[in-house]
Each structure stands twice: as C-alpha cells, then as structure tokens.
Amino acid sequence: MIKLDRRILTHFDFLQLFLIIPIIVLSYILVSEANEILANKQIIYFGVGFLAFCLSFLLPIRRIEWIIPMFYWVCIVLLLSVDLFGVSRLGARRWLEIPFVHFTLQPSEVMKPAFLLMLAYLIKRSPPSEDGYGLKDFLRLSFYILLPFALILKEPDLGTALILLLVGYTILFVIGVNKKIWICIFLAIGFCTPVLYENLHDYQKKRIYDFVSKEPSYHVKQSIIAIGSGGLKGKPKDEATQTHFKFLPIATSDFIFAYNIERFGFYGALGLLSFYGALIAHLLSLNYGLKNDFFTQVVATGIAALIFIYVGVNVSMTIGFAPVVGVPLPFFSYGGSSFVTFMVLFGILQNLLTFRFDPTYRSVKIKF
C-alpha cells in the first residue's frame, strides 16, 4: 500500500482547484455544444495538462534551482532558432517543427515558465532593500525581461511579447523598485509612443485603426450582437444562433466569452469573471504569508498577472474595448498550448507552496 507524506494534503492549496475546475467544466460544456470534434480533442488536452501538472508538482524545484538559468537560456536559444528554422503560418514564424513526429513547438509558450522561474531565481539570490531595487539591479533584471520580449516581438508576436513585458515589470513593481525609476519609465514611454507606433507591422497598425475607428470590425460586431442577444439569463442551446449559424467567429477560442454570454447571459459572464477575480485575488494574497520567500512570491505574482492580463485583453477585445488579438481566456478557450502552460505554472506554484516548510525538498516520501 502506498502512503504519501501527509504534508502534501496539509499544505496543498485546494482553493486553487475549487476556483479553476468550474472554469474548465463550463469551457468543456460550451466547446462540446459548438463542436463535438473539438470537445474530444479538448479531453486529450485536459489529460496532457493534468500530466504536465503532476510532473511539475513532483519536480524537486528547490533542490535543482541551479538548473533554472540553463532552462532559461535553452528557451532563448529556441527563440533564436525560430528565426532560422521556424515554421511560418499566416505570415508569422513562431513554431519549430519536431523532427520525425511532425509536431510543432511554440518556444514562446515554453518561455513563460522559464521566464517566471528565472526572475524568481534572480530575485531570491538578490532580494530588494527596504527602498526597493536601485538602478543597477533594475537594469540587470530588465535585461532578462527585455531579451525574450525582443525575440518574440521579432517573430512577430506582439501580443505574447507585451504580455511577458507587462508580467515582468508587474513582478518588479510588487517586489519593490525605487519610485524614481518608475516615474522616469512612464515619462520615457510617453515620449517614445509615436516612434513605437511607426515601427509596428502593417497588420498591427490595422488592428489599432480598427479599434479606434467609429465602426468596429466584423468580428467585434458579431461578438457584440451575441453578447446583446444573451440578455440577463442567456438563451437555450438551440437558440444561440450567433454561434451555431457561424456568425460569431472563433466561438470556441478567441470569442468564447461572447458565446458564454449568449448562452448564459449577464449572470454567466458575472459568474465566470467572479471565479477569475477570486483566483487572482487569492494568488496575490499569498504574498502576505510568504514575506521572506521571494521565490514563491514571484511565481504567484507572475501567474496572477498573467491571468489578469489574459482575461482583461480577451474580454476587452470581445466588447470592442481593445484591438482584436489572439489572446485566449486561461482554462476556458479551446486549445492545448495555453492550457498546458498554465497547468505547468500552477503545478510549479503548488510545489513551492506544498513543500515550503522543507526548503531542501527531500522529495515525496513514499512508504510501501
């Protein structure tokens, strides 16, 4: 008989599961209604994601911290390889083809856990003073943030690049940086905005133009119609015509939030956003109990920032308050890459929380 160490149950953060599982269940219901084939594929993604969670949870992270810089630089090499050997799709080169198996790998997704772990590693080794990081430390940490940002931006993948950039500096803001540095940064951004705009790709400028124009794009129009038709309580499955008659584009991924409102109305949207809000608040609240554990603080804050940005951008996009970009809703939009990435991140966080009173991580004790 196998008995796991009781510390796993004692320190495991079950509240995360209670907040994430309803989002996954609701997602599967909507995807299965819209497309049974995609729903069957999503079950496979669920299985792969669960396996990824277990592997990252059981990995002795604290004992092998020295591998983190190597992991980070391997991901940087993969991002550099995209420019040389990458596979192009729809005008963007973001994938590497794995030889012999004909599967593709998106290095920018692998970069997300490597990015958070690297910042956690660096901040743990050199924590901020009471006044926050000074200019020298800020520039040193900024290098590790700006390097993947520049490489991903070159693919081009402006959405993912900006997300990593915002997450990185959100972490520094929460951990602590001298206020004068932030003031200088905001002033510099204000002055450089016209130059940054002129260097965008044409399709990126078009997205901004569509956003600021009086008439929303076709995608956003159909999304707003679906949202408006949902009312307070939503529609039965057979009456959700925007989705089932294919007026609502990409209803199972990019615009699944609009489909959720068409089916379950304002109350459905409120419920979904409440779960996300509670999850983000819970992750940020962990910082108060982990004041001396900078490694776990960085990971928890980074995941909270990721979810906040993903949800904020996706919801704003569907209601016409942001340009249309391919940013999915975590655990909700159909697809494997984002789902598996977040499962890995939460597996890492659960590992750090569960074994936080055992810094050497003597590994899980299994008694036979």
Side-chain angles (χ1 to χ4, degrees), residues 316-327:
S316 299
M317 175 187 74
T318 58
I319 61 178
F321 283 6
V324 176
V325 291
V327 175

Side-chain angles (χ1 to χ4, degrees), residues 6 9 41 57 69 141 158 184 188 218 270 307 310 316 333 356:
R6 291 183 178 178
L9 295 178
K41 290 183 179 180
F57 172 71
L141 292 170
L158 179 61
C184 293
Y218 171 82
L270 184 62
I307 294 174
Y310 269 68
S316 299
S333 295
R356 64 187 182 277

Side-chain angles (χ1 to χ4, degrees), residues 273 276 280 306-317 327-330:
L273 294 179
Y276 278 126
I280 294 169
L306 267 176
I307 294 174
F308 178 81
I309 293 170
Y310 269 68
V311 174
V313 171
N314 185 278
V315 172
S316 299
M317 175 187 74
V327 175
L329 279 175

Side-chain angles (χ1 to χ4, degrees), residues 80-101:
L80 288 169
S81 300
V82 169
D83 191 41
L84 300 174
F85 312 108
V87 178
S88 296
R89 294 178 183 175
L90 300 176
R93 182 172 291 185
R94 304 173 185 173
W95 298 268
L96 291 174
E97 185 173 349
I98 301 175
F100 308 113
V101 294

Side-chain angles (χ1 to χ4, degrees), residues 26-258:
L26 179 59
S27 168
Y28 180 75
I29 292 172
L30 292 174
V31 173
S32 62
E33 289 181 357
N35 191 316
E36 291 185 5
I37 296 176
L38 294 183
N40 293 333
K41 290 183 179 180
Q42 192 72 350
I43 292 178
I44 298 175
Y45 294 146
F46 290 160
V48 174
F50 177 74
L51 179 62
F53 174 87
C54 292
L55 290 175
S56 55
F57 172 71
L58 295 174
L59 193 67
I61 297 172
R62 295 185 186 275
R63 196 171 65 185
I64 58 172
E65 287 182 9
W66 56 275
I67 294 179
I68 291 175
M70 188 185 305
F71 179 36
Y72 175 87
W73 286 110
V74 167
C75 291
I76 292 296
V77 171
L78 289 176
L79 288 175
L80 288 169
S81 300
V82 169
D83 191 41
L84 300 174
F85 312 108
V87 178
S88 296
R89 294 178 183 175
L90 300 176
R93 182 172 291 185
R94 304 173 185 173
W95 298 268
L96 291 174
E97 185 173 349
I98 301 175
F100 308 113
V101 294
H102 302 292
F103 284 111
T104 56
L105 172 71
Q106 190 170 354
S108 59
E109 287 296 325
V110 184
M111 189 70 224
K112 291 173 185 175
F115 178 77
L116 291 184
L117 287 172
M118 189 61 181
L119 285 181
Y121 175 83
L122 293 170
I123 292 173
K124 177 189 174 182
R125 288 174 62 89
S126 180
S129 63
E130 292 183 1
D131 296 329
Y133 283 118
L135 181 60
K136 182 179 178 180
D137 288 324
F138 177 79
L139 293 176
R140 177 175 60 88
L141 292 170
S142 293
F143 170 78
Y144 292 93
I145 296 172
L146 294 174
L147 180 58
F149 165 77
L151 293 176
I152 295 173
L153 183 65
K154 189 180 178 182
E155 292 180 354
D157 188 355
L158 179 61
T160 302
L162 284 177
I163 286 171
L164 284 184
L165 185 74
L166 291 173
V167 168
Y169 285 110
T170 297
I171 290 172
L172 294 186
F173 180 82
V174 173
I175 295 298
V177 172
N178 192 290
K179 296 179 180 179
K180 295 179 180 179
I181 295 176
W182 292 122
I183 294 173
C184 293
I185 289 175
F186 290 136
L187 290 174
I189 292 174
F191 284 116
C192 293
T193 297
V195 178
L196 295 174
Y197 176 80
E198 288 300 322
N199 285 278
L200 292 176
H201 292 269
D202 291 337
Y203 78 93
Q204 293 167 344
K205 291 180 179 179
K206 185 177 185 306
R207 287 176 177 175
I208 296 175
Y209 175 79
D210 290 341
F211 169 63
V212 299
S213 62
K214 294 181 180 180
E215 289 292 328
S217 65
Y218 171 82
H219 290 47
V220 175
K221 281 183 180 179
Q222 300 304 320
S223 175
I224 293 174
I225 292 172
I227 291 171
S229 65
L232 284 176
K233 299 181 180 179
K235 292 180 174 181
K237 172 185 174 181
D238 296 335
E239 296 180 16
T241 55
Q242 280 295 111
T243 297
H244 295 295
F245 288 166
K246 310 299 182 183
F247 292 113
L248 180 65
I250 326 177
T252 57
S253 55
D254 289 357
F255 288 90
I256 194 171
F257 182 73

Side-chain angles (χ1 to χ4, degrees), residues 281-292 297:
H282 173 64
L283 292 174
L284 292 176
S285 70
L286 294 175
N287 288 314
Y288 293 99
L290 303 167
K291 292 184 177 180
N292 296 320
Q297 278 189 51

